[in-house]
Amino acid sequence: MTRRPVGIVMNGVTGRMGSRQHLIRSILAIRASGGVPVGDGQVIWPEPILVGRSADRLRALATAHGLERWTTDLDQALAEADAEVYFDAQVTSEREKSIRAAIEAGKHVYTEKPLAEDTAGALDLARLARAAGVKTGVVQDKLFLPGLRKLARLVEGGFFGRILSVRGEFGYWVFEGDWQEAQRPSWNYRAEDGGGIVMDMFCHWQYVLENIFGPVRSVQALAATHIPERVDEQGVRYDCTADDAAYGIFELEGGIVAQINSSWAVRVYRDELVEFQVDGTEGSAVAGLRNCRIQHRAMTPKPVWNPDLPVTEDFRAQWAEVPDNEEFDNGFKAQWELFLRHVVADAPFAWDFLAGAKGVQLAELGLRSSRERCRLDVPELSL
Ligand SMILES: NC(=O)c1ccc[n+]([C@@H]2O[C@H](COP(=O)([O-])OP(=O)(O)OC[C@H]3O[C@@H](n4cnc5c(N)ncnc54)[C@H](O)[C@@H]3O)[C@@H](O)[C@H]2O)c1
């Protein structure tokens, strides 16, 4: 096997997503498994160049993983002769200007979502990239979750008949930081720093709904800030200026109604942190991160509403587990491999900046719908 090296400037790599999912579980995992095969005896060999704000943290991260290339100077990293790809996992508010610099330097760009803080900014980046002739990609990791892969398989196989509705429940309790340390960074709860659950999760719901069921045609949302004050990483109290819960209704092409609750102020009484129930004329499914259960029309019980009697059926026991039937790799790694093949061998890649802009658009419209107390159509985006 010959190695085809690809220099990847990885910015924001000391953060939660940058270090765990992208550096360790994707790029280093790809190297540990021998690279990404592209035929002709070649493997793509990612060469990470770490970028961040703190020299100490970068040095420590590089040393821990046997890497030598790191810098606090983005321009210097972009000027490296072998750097072909720029990757961004910084806080959302820092993303747009860095991606702009990377495109101007002629790099292909792969980025965490949301692509930008508003639709205009996201489309602007998509247009810039097209004009510069560079390839683009946005992380859409939820599509690679085993539970959702099985759900997509059921849709493709026609299991549901006519799909009527999708009910999603996402969330968990994020500690306020006073009594127990918060398990999410504080910027998530400040609008001025790009936080908010609508901006965070509607980007995900947009591509999940579009890729599995059909494009979103309208949105109606109510965003709330249930916890008004939290304590940050330094132990200092701050005002929460961003939404921490969103109750959204989405109309999809073909008349499917999707209703998704997203919350960082909910306690989990579910099997998984996210679950989607899909009801169709022929059958229903409940999919989580890993598992997916189904109930066919022929196996559907006929409960009769009578609150005077105790429950007569074990409803949960009436569902059957969908088998894996394949091996599921880490979703972030799987998408990285596709993007690297796209860069090196021109393999198809569906989740470009235009796809990323649609996520930002849905989040922006969701916030507007909440502010204006109305339902909004989702216009088609084009470059
Ligand atoms: N795909 C997913 O499932 C998923 C999940 C969580 C977060 N994200 C996205 O990943 C990005 C990073 O989120 P995270 O949870 O890793 O955040 P984090 O706070 O853990 O990391 C943020 C990174 O940005 C850097 N940074 C640059 N400028 C900064 C500034 N002015 N203030 C603070 N940090 C700054 C930090 O040094 C750090 O490396 C966000 O855009 C977020 O939307 C995606």
Side-chain angles (χ1 to χ4, degrees):
M1 287 282 177
T2 49
R3 285 181 181 177
R4 159 71 168 85
V6 175
I8 306 176
V9 175
M10 300 186 76
N11 198 3
V13 83
T14 56
R16 263 180 354 137
M17 299 307 293
S19 64
R20 271 190 250 156
Q21 293 298 353
H22 293 285
L23 180 65
I24 298 170
R25 293 195 195 145
S26 297
I27 297 304
L28 296 179
I30 287 172
R31 285 160 61 115
S33 65
V36 183
V38 269
D40 295 338
Q42 265 205 346
V43 290
I44 302 171
W45 190 256
E47 290 286 0
I49 303 161
L50 312 186
V51 181
R53 294 175 304 163
S54 154
D56 289 346
R57 294 181 64 188
L58 286 168
R59 188 183 302 108
L61 185 66
T63 309
H65 298 289
L67 300 171
E68 278 158 14
R69 301 172 74 184
W70 60 267
T71 173
T72 54
D73 181 344
L74 176 60
D75 291 335
Q76 186 192 322
L78 290 173
E80 292 283 309
D82 63 336
E84 286 180 68
V85 173
Y86 171 73
F87 170 67
D88 194 298
Q90 295 182 98
V91 283
T92 309
S93 51
E94 295 297 308
R95 180 157 300 137
E96 209 177 313
K97 65 173 187 286
S98 302
I99 291 185
R100 203 174 281 275
I103 295 172
E104 277 160 15
K107 309 301 168 194
H108 304 298
V109 182
Y110 186 52
T111 179
E112 260 299 350
K113 45 55 64 179
L115 171 57
E117 287 185 284
D118 56 33
T119 314
L123 285 175
D124 207 35
L125 290 179
R127 290 188 186 113
L128 264 183
R130 188 180 60 174
V134 298
K135 292 173 177 165
T136 62
V138 177
V139 173
Q140 305 209 332
D141 54 291
K142 306 291 178 268
L143 290 177
F144 297 82
L145 290 169
L148 293 193
R149 292 276 298 275
K150 289 182 229 176
L151 190 58
R153 192 202 288 159
L154 292 173
V155 174
E156 285 154 20
F159 167 77
F160 294 104
R162 184 165 64 85
I163 297 177
L164 311 172
S165 60
V166 180
R167 273 155 235 266
E169 197 63 56
F170 162 85
Y172 48 92
W173 191 266
V174 176
F175 279 93
E176 298 89 325
D178 49 357
W179 170 54
Q180 294 189 51
E181 207 176 299
Q183 70 271 41
R184 291 183 66 82
S186 59
W187 65 264
N188 283 281
Y189 304 91
R190 290 188 295 263
E192 60 277 24
D193 291 338
I197 202 164
V198 172
M199 198 35 97
D200 190 351
M201 297 314 296
F202 278 30
C203 297
H204 289 298
W205 306 148
Q206 189 281 327
Y207 67 74
V208 165
L209 292 171
E210 170 158 334
N211 283 267
I212 301 181
F213 304 103
V216 181
R217 295 302 182 211
S218 83
V219 55
Q220 180 169 12
L222 198 159
T225 307
H226 290 306
I227 308 287
E229 193 182 81
R230 291 176 176 270
V231 174
D232 71 12
E233 292 78 1
Q234 281 71 46
V236 177
R237 283 192 177 274
Y238 64 96
D239 291 334
C240 300
T241 48
D243 42 286
D244 58 12
Y247 307 87
I249 299 178
F250 310 89
E251 277 179 308
L252 311 188
E253 184 141 305
I256 301 171
V257 180
Q259 198 232 304
I260 307 180
N261 295 327
S262 317
S263 179
W264 289 318
V266 65
R267 296 189 175 86
V268 180
Y269 188 68
R270 275 172 258 131
D271 293 327
E272 305 198 56
L273 294 192
V274 67
E275 279 182 351
F276 295 94
Q277 171 161 344
V278 181
D279 287 296
T281 51
E282 296 296 312
S284 297
V286 176
L289 301 171
R290 303 205 66 83
N291 297 320
C292 183
R293 295 180 188 85
I294 53 171
Q295 184 171 93
H296 188 259
R297 183 178 188 223
M299 297 301 291
T300 306
K302 194 190 273 185
V304 176
W305 175 258
N306 186 351
D308 296 333
L309 293 179
V311 176
T312 51
E313 315 221 23
D314 184 356
F315 291 112
R316 283 181 189 268
Q318 295 162 346
W319 295 68
E321 196 72 51
V322 176
D324 284 359
N325 288 358
E326 61 186 293
E327 286 211 1
F328 300 104
D329 204 350
N330 176 294
F332 291 90
K333 174 168 173 264
Q335 207 186 346
W336 261 109
E337 290 175 347
L338 292 172
F339 186 72
L340 289 173
R341 284 203 183 96
H342 179 53
V343 166
V344 170
D346 223 9
F349 187 84
W351 309 288
D352 61 7
F353 275 8
L354 182 59
K358 290 185 191 176
V360 178
Q361 178 198 35
L362 190 66
E364 204 172 42
L365 288 172
L367 286 169
R368 206 181 111 202
S369 148
S370 180
R371 260 194 328 269
E372 298 178 5
R373 308 166 82 90
C374 62
R375 183 158 80 202
L376 295 171
D377 288 337
V378 179
E380 202 75 56
L381 287 186
S382 59
L383 293 185

